[in-house]
Amino acid sequence: MTTRDAVTVAGIDCGTNSIRLKIASVDADGVHEIVPRMLRVIRLGQDVDKTHRFAPEALDRAYAAAREFAGVLAQHPVDGIRFVATSATRDAANRQEFEDAMQRILGVVPEVIPGTEEAALSFLGATGVVRRADLKPPYLVVDLGGGSTELVLGGDGVELPATSVKAGYSMNIGSVRMTERHLCDDPPTQEQIDAAIADIDAHIEEAAETVDLGATRTIIGVSGTVTTMTALAMGLKVYDHAKVDGRRIAFDQAYEVDDRFLRMSRAERSTYKTIHPGRVDVVGGGALVWNRVLANVGAATAARGGEPLDSFIASEHGLLDGIVLDYGRRLLAVR
């Protein structure tokens, strides 16, 4: 139930690889979970990079997850639902079929948001929980998804608040897209890896024309790829949200783990319970994107001659948190 100074909202984030639901109360102090994040790996973006259409089996997986979410929502009345769809849906010619079916199942029309809005919401979610004194602004939030990766730089805390967006850019590279486009063999060949690196670096170079990567003093990495690779770098035998959230990892440690899992066969990756089964085949592609983002940002900061940037912070808070917080605030504003 809600009071005059709080609202209960549900946020749904439907990306290229997974769909997530979160139900929370939002007030002046922030977000208070009612139903913690639910995640289902649906691979909605299966072959979208090649066909520009949703595959029938991918839609079936998405609808099954939506029906499950509808059952949860029936038990937790909310003041409103915001359903956000991102990279794969932006690219799919048959997205109307998807949107119509989701409206029938959940009673809400998916909003296919542009990459710029996705970037801003990811930044809001990631920085909305920043409390640590050792996290120096400007923050660069990196949301590494299945189909796209957002780079969002905030203010310096002086001329612009640290939690305000200064610049953002959405790149059409991600774990699923890079795996399907380049890393076709199992394990991938060096030639395929080199082609993927060239593709990724070209996108980062383009992004750097908009986002001043050299100004970064703290990298905050969000999404399943980043948190999974962080858990592996920590040596966790099973995934633990509490242990991963807020963990600082050195670049050198990340590079070693990213490269090792990139070059593994899928069968070998599947023996690691830390990796969600739905990520086993694409986590290597995601790790390569993450590796190149860290390397490029590190080089850009070094070129400035300032304090060396040699580590990042992993966060469990990103786009979904931003959707919930932003929507809740907007509902509060009109009450």
Side-chain angles (χ1 to χ4, degrees):
M1 299 298 291
T2 62
T3 65
R4 291 179 60 190
D5 56 358
V7 290
T8 300
V9 300
I12 298 174
D13 161 24
C14 186
T16 300
N17 199 44
S18 62
I19 186 169
R20 299 170 171 86
L21 167 71
K22 182 173 183 173
I23 302 174
S25 172
V26 179
D27 60 22
D29 294 325
V31 175
H32 312 280
E33 286 188 345
I34 295 172
V35 175
R37 181 185 67 184
M38 295 177 61
L39 178 148
R40 299 293 179 266
V41 176
I42 58 173
R43 192 63 56 80
L44 182 61
Q46 174 189 333
D47 294 331
V48 167
D49 189 60
K50 178 174 60 179
T51 67
H52 302 290
R53 296 184 63 84
F54 289 134
E57 58 270 31
L59 289 173
D60 288 343
R61 293 191 294 268
Y63 301 156
R67 286 189 286 271
E68 185 179 357
F69 288 177
V72 174
L73 286 163
Q75 300 174 39
H76 299 276
V78 297
D79 295 304
I81 305 171
R82 188 177 187 199
F83 185 142
V84 165
T86 56
S87 178
T89 310
R90 288 194 291 264
D91 294 347
N94 59 337
R95 79 186 206 190
Q96 190 65 53
E97 176 186 349
F98 166 77
E99 293 171 7
D100 292 345
M102 287 300 186
Q103 184 176 16
R104 289 194 297 271
I105 296 169
L106 290 163
V108 61
V109 179
E111 296 178 55
V112 185
I113 63 173
T116 50
E117 184 177 358
E118 182 180 355
L121 289 171
S122 294
F123 188 84
L124 174 65
T127 60
V129 294
V130 169
R131 299 288 184 271
R132 290 168 43 175
D134 65 327
L135 301 189
K136 300 175 181 178
Y139 310 129
L140 179 72
V141 172
V142 183
D143 187 349
L144 201 170
S148 68
T149 296
E150 282 65 48
L151 302 178
V152 198
L153 184 71
D156 59 6
V158 180
E159 295 183 358
L160 184 70
T163 54
S164 294
V165 174
K166 185 174 184 179
Y169 194 88
S170 182
M171 305 180 292
N172 274 336
I173 53 175
S175 61
V176 175
R177 201 181 292 269
M178 289 298 97
T179 300
E180 291 184 350
R181 186 181 295 176
H182 297 293
L183 309 177
C184 304
D185 287 349
D186 181 27
T189 65
Q190 186 61 51
E191 183 179 7
Q192 291 168 351
I193 292 170
D194 291 343
I197 289 173
D199 192 358
I200 295 164
D201 283 356
H203 279 85
I204 296 173
E205 182 178 352
E206 184 176 328
E209 295 177 6
T210 300
V211 181
D212 183 5
L213 301 181
T216 305
R217 296 191 71 193
T218 298
I219 297 179
I220 303 175
V222 304
S223 82
T225 290
V226 175
T227 54
T228 296
M229 298 314 298
T230 297
L232 291 167
M234 294 168 63
L236 298 182
K237 301 302 181 185
V238 294
Y239 193 84
D240 187 320
H241 296 271
K243 290 181 178 178
V244 170
D245 190 35
R247 183 64 178 252
R248 185 182 290 276
I249 298 292
F251 282 6
D252 287 347
Q253 187 180 7
Y255 294 152
E256 188 279 324
V257 171
D258 292 348
D259 190 65
R260 179 155 50 91
F261 280 83
L262 165 65
R263 297 174 187 278
M264 278 185 188
S265 68
R266 294 172 185 176
E268 188 176 359
R269 286 187 209 134
S270 69
T271 65
Y272 288 80
K273 294 182 180 179
T274 319
I275 306 175
H276 189 290
R279 298 190 192 282
V280 165
D281 60 334
V282 297
V283 75
L288 185 57
V289 174
W290 183 228
N291 186 310
R292 297 311 304 160
V293 169
L294 295 180
N296 277 273
V297 175
T301 57
R304 289 286 178 88
E307 184 178 345
L309 191 62
D310 58 4
S311 65
F312 70 88
I313 300 294
S315 176
E316 287 280 348
H317 306 280
L319 177 58
L320 183 59
D321 299 82
I323 292 167
V324 169
L325 181 57
D326 174 71
Y327 185 46
R329 285 175 174 174
R330 289 196 280 119
L331 289 184
L332 284 169
V334 298
R335 290 189 73 124

